[in-house]
Amino acid sequence: MSRTLLVTGGAGFIGSNFVRLIRRDRPDWTVTNLDALTYSGNLENLADLEGDAKHRFVRGDICDADVVRHLMSECDVVVHFAAESHVDRSIQDSGPFIQSNVLGTQILLDVARAANIDRFVHVSTDEVYGSLPLDQPELKFTEESMLAPNSPYAASKAASDLLVRAAHHTFGMPTIITRCSNNFGPFQFPEKVIPLFVSNLIEDKPVPLYGDGLNVRDWLHVEDHCEAILTVLERGAPGEVYNVGGDNERSNLELTHEILRLMGKGDDMIRRVQDRLGHDRRYAIDSSKLQSELGWKPTRSAWPDALEQTVRWYCDHEQWWRRVKSGAYREYYENQYQGLV
Ligand code: NAD
Ligand code: DAU
């Protein structure tokens, strides 16, 4: 069935990978891509789609109800990525997180209901479940786990999840929520740990490791995440939540050692810096519902190969991250790392 999609946040890391996947695997679908081009939105992420008649980029804010209303009148499905996405920035200033993640989602939902949208996929995060202990490795987040967000970012995402849930419960809207673990792959903004560490090492700068480095994340390749979103869009049940994860848990120290090894650098490049405030200890996702009910499984996430390809991508695309790391990024970096790295 041919679809007309409104993708929000499609100039960011995951959104741009998703738009590319749709244009490749669903060539008869049409995509309108609404993105405000905040600091993390980048049209260079979509350069290969220039001139594609089935991809239309619109610069605009999801909080602008008039723009959203106009675009939704021409679409039948919404896939909602647009958000402030970096935990450290939410600790510095949570205002933009409430504005885009909470208010923006409410505006999209209200307009989508009036426009009778066929399906509304809300892209959320495992961070809404809070933190797991290190000493109980058998514990993982399921869709029934309690929401216990710990950072302002996670709290804003949990609030948006609850608005989406309420839109289904109260108005019968055909909403679906996905909650995914940490993504890696091409076009990730270099404030996030993997592109930050790789680009620092290329510049021969040390890498800032928070606290004891034992915090654990569950890493999934961005294309596996995008395929999961496409799967729930086509086959998911309205009102449901689907966890998405890679079964690929690593401590930050293990991740750092792996990156150092791949780049031929030594442990002397590690700078231990002050821990992130409220730093969640461990995330681990049980994605068996998505796997058994909808038949999704990750195919691109296995380490060390997948990590090596990602490291190589940043080595091969120096111009891309060098442009991103200039300008306003420098101010953020100074503020975050206080001249330590
Ligand atoms: P990103 O920061 O790279 O991209 C976010 C995009 O949203 C940017 O292009 C930005 O310009 C746009 N945007 C922000 N506010 C907007 C607004 N008010 N109006 C219109 N556009 C706006 O983030 P990402 O890593 O690609 O994350 C995308 C989504 O996936 C987010 O909702 C995030 O919570 C979720 N998520 C991310 C991960 C991860 O590991 N990166 C994992 C799970 C879920
Ligand atoms: O779990 C999904 C989430 O993954 C998404 O919802 C978020 O949008 C995404 O940013 C990511 O959040 P994290 O906080 O886990 O990602 P980040 O890359 O910022 O950090 C990963 C780990 O690395 C975390 O434990 C903190 C640590 N870290 C991070 C930075 C930036 C460091 O040790 N040093 C750093 O400089």
Side-chain angles (χ1 to χ4, degrees), residues 14 84-88 124-128 153 157 180-183 188 190-197 207-211 213 215-219 252 255-256 273 275-276 279-281 283 332-333 336-337 341:
I14 307 174
E84 290 293 329
S85 66
H86 192 38
V87 173
D88 293 322
S124 192
T125 169
D126 59 0
E127 301 206 13
V128 298
Y153 161 69
K157 291 296 290 188
C180 188
S181 60
N182 286 63
N183 285 213
Q188 186 166 32
E191 65 191 350
K192 309 285 167 62
V193 72
I194 292 179
L196 173 68
F197 282 16
V207 296
L209 188 63
Y210 292 162
N215 303 63
V216 168
R217 297 293 182 265
D218 173 5
W219 291 98
N252 293 333
L255 167 70
T256 306
V273 297
D275 209 353
R276 172 183 280 174
H279 196 175
D280 282 339
R281 204 54 167 156
Y283 302 144
Y332 160 76
Y333 193 87
Q336 177 65 20
Y337 299 104
V341 278

Side-chain angles (χ1 to χ4, degrees), residues 89-159:
R89 286 185 191 254
S90 80
I91 293 167
Q92 287 184 12
D93 178 10
S94 61
F97 289 74
I98 304 308
Q99 177 74 17
S100 287
N101 302 3
V102 186
L103 191 65
T105 301
Q106 176 245 316
I107 289 168
L108 288 175
L109 286 167
D110 286 354
V111 177
R113 178 158 57 95
N116 241 332
I117 286 295
D118 268 4
R119 187 140 298 196
F120 187 108
V121 180
H122 176 64
V123 180
S124 192
T125 169
D126 59 0
E127 301 206 13
V128 298
Y129 296 123
S131 183
L132 293 166
L134 285 183
D135 61 0
Q136 288 171 274
E138 71 288 356
L139 281 188
K140 290 182 183 232
F141 298 128
T142 72
E143 289 81 359
E144 274 70 50
S145 297
M146 199 178 76
L147 297 190
N150 288 320
S151 70
Y153 161 69
S156 70
K157 291 296 290 188

Side-chain angles (χ1 to χ4, degrees), residues 22-78:
I22 294 296
R23 292 302 303 119
R24 189 189 68 205
D25 289 1
R26 298 292 180 275
D28 55 332
W29 291 17
T30 306
V31 178
T32 297
N33 183 347
L34 173 65
D35 196 298
L37 297 182
T38 67
Y39 78 92
S40 70
N42 184 352
L43 281 181
E44 286 188 42
N45 300 357
L46 300 161
D48 53 332
L49 295 178
E50 241 178 72
D52 181 336
K54 285 185 173 284
H55 172 247
R56 172 173 56 142
F57 180 78
V58 177
R59 183 173 190 176
D61 195 315
I62 56 169
C63 298
D64 184 338
D66 289 336
V67 172
V68 171
R69 204 172 291 117
H70 173 68
L71 298 179
M72 275 199 204
S73 69
E74 300 165 349
C75 296
D76 54 20
V77 168
V78 176

